[in-house]
């Protein structure tokens, strides 16, 4: 069974940090680009960060609102992608989803949701004092 499972969300104060994990089972995650998306209440799902497949060089991308604060990385031995989130702000609040994309001829940094093949169930991140 092909599955992505996110974990690591929670409640954190502004300025705090969280590390989200996206663990894959049933397939090899490094053959895919992996994107992180988030959805705040009443808003559309938006792309946050992505990393290309290992075959395309594991290049990382970040949207402007998280550059310098978030870091995406892979641990192929654990078949997992991480999103380290530092200096969190209230506007970072939302449900965070990871998804994978077969990125031959596609760019994960376009953040087009319907191009992503598999999605996790999401993990809640709340930044509040």
């Amino acid at each position: 069974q092909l599955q992505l499972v996110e974990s690591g969300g929670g409640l954190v104060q502004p300025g705090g940090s969280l590390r989200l994990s996206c663990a894959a089972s049933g397939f090899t995650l490094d053959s895919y680009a992996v994107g992180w998306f988030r959805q705040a209440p009443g808003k559309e799902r938006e792309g946050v960060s992505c990393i290309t497949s290992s075959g395309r060089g594991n290049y990382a991308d970040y949207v402007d609102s998280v550059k310098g604060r978030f870091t995406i990385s892979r641990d192929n031995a654990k078949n997992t992608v991480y999103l380290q989130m530092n200096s969190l702000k209230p506007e970072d609040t939302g449900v965070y989803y990871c998804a994978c994309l077969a990125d031959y001829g596609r760019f994960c940094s376009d953040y087009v949701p319907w191009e992503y093949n598999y999605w996790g169930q999401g993990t809640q991140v709340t930044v509040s004092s």
Side-chain angles (χ1 to χ4, degrees), residues 2-70:
L2 306 178
Q3 194 174 16
L4 288 174
V5 178
E6 301 98 334
S7 61
L11 172 64
V12 64
Q13 292 186 342
S17 298
L18 287 173
R19 189 178 77 159
L20 305 185
S21 299
C22 173
S25 59
F27 66 104
T28 303
L29 195 55
D30 73 348
S31 298
Y32 293 84
V34 176
W36 284 96
F37 292 75
R38 67 187 178 192
Q39 188 165 20
K43 294 188 177 181
E44 292 187 355
R45 192 172 298 189
E46 63 173 351
V48 173
S49 177
C50 74
I51 186 167
T52 64
S53 63
S54 296
R56 294 199 63 174
N58 283 322
Y59 290 108
D61 181 83
Y62 305 93
V63 297
D64 287 345
S65 60
V66 307
K67 278 181 182 176
R69 301 189 297 121
F70 290 11

Side-chain angles (χ1 to χ4, degrees), residues 8 51 87 102 110:
I51 186 167
S87 302
D110 288 341

Side-chain angles (χ1 to χ4, degrees), residues 67-86:
K67 278 181 182 176
R69 301 189 297 121
F70 290 11
T71 304
I72 191 169
S73 62
R74 289 184 183 271
D75 184 337
N76 291 335
K78 295 183 178 180
N79 212 25
T80 298
V81 167
Y82 301 100
L83 185 68
Q84 178 68 43
M85 306 188 297
N86 298 329

Side-chain angles (χ1 to χ4, degrees), residues 87-110:
S87 302
L88 283 162
K89 304 176 181 180
E91 52 263 43
D92 294 318
T93 294
V95 179
Y96 281 69
Y97 301 89
C98 66
C100 61
L101 167 74
D103 62 351
Y104 299 105
R106 296 176 179 174
F107 299 95
C108 68
S109 55
D110 288 341

